[in-house]
Amino acid sequence: MKSAIAIAAVAGLATVASAQNVGTVTLTSSAATVASGATFTVGVVVSDNISGNSVFAFDVEVSGTGDYTTGAPTAHASVFGFSGASTATGATGLGGSSDILGPDLDPSLDGVTVYTFQVTAGAAGLIDLSAADGGGPNAAMQWGVEGGIVILPADYDSISFGSVRVTVTPAPSGVALLGLGGLVAARRRR
């Protein structure tokens, strides 16, 4: 009898653990491979595992390693009160849902690319960008609890932060010069 109770208790713990509110920050890139000097767009998407409208606010910073420069971030049209800036290694942005007066929280930011920014590649190599909690006073993401007239923000139990990698190849003109150099070297050997 004791083992049946222990098994039921463990099964209950597994159910509670899987019911956590988990937020996800996904990074997207308009290209996986670019030439040196080329510009590509990075997007920041916020979502969660809560059914229905839920993502209420965000404060996400993107930074990374590699040889690149970034432009100022641009918010999605549905983001309310956006504040963002380019940084030495990426961009940061915060904002919220335009519907702070409930009760439906419609539309939320769930699944929305909340902001984008341009990245210009430097020398050939890898650019690795990762999302993290921004420097503002709020958590990286908050979800909206239906609270009657005004939506109440709540913190997620955990937030999963994504990353993106872009490969930078030599600029086409540099590749052409290397090819010409090879032709000249081959001709001299004859």
Side-chain angles (χ1 to χ4, degrees):
M1 182 68 168
K2 287 184 181 179
S3 63
I5 293 172
I7 291 172
V10 171
L13 288 175
T15 303
V16 171
S18 66
Q20 291 182 341
N21 298 321
V22 179
T24 303
V25 179
T26 305
L27 296 183
T28 63
S29 174
S30 62
T33 303
V34 296
S36 180
T39 299
F40 60 96
T41 303
V42 172
V44 178
V45 182
V46 293
S47 59
D48 63 24
N49 67 341
I50 300 172
S51 63
N53 294 326
S54 52
V55 179
F56 180 73
F58 66 93
D59 182 2
V60 178
E61 182 171 350
V62 178
S63 61
T65 60
D67 184 14
Y68 60 93
T69 57
T70 60
T74 302
H76 186 276
S78 67
V79 173
F80 177 75
F82 182 75
S83 176
S86 62
T87 66
T89 60
T92 186
L94 63 92
S97 171
S98 60
D99 185 13
I100 60 171
L101 300 176
D104 296 350
L105 187 63
D106 185 57
S108 77
L109 300 174
D110 191 16
V112 172
T113 302
V114 290
Y115 73 90
T116 60
F117 62 97
Q118 301 289 307
V119 177
T120 302
L126 296 174
I127 297 174
D128 289 311
L129 298 168
S130 299
D133 192 359
N138 298 330
M141 287 175 59
Q142 292 181 311
W143 60 282
V145 179
E146 292 183 23
I149 295 175
V150 177
I151 300 297
L152 303 173
D155 291 339
Y156 288 90
D157 296 321
S158 67
I159 299 174
S160 173
F161 294 101
S163 61
V164 67
R165 172 177 272 181
V166 175
T167 302
V168 181
T169 60
S173 60
V175 172
L177 288 175
L178 288 174
L180 284 175
L183 289 173
V184 168
R187 180 141 175 101
R188 286 189 175 170
R189 289 185 191 148
R190 291 183 181 173

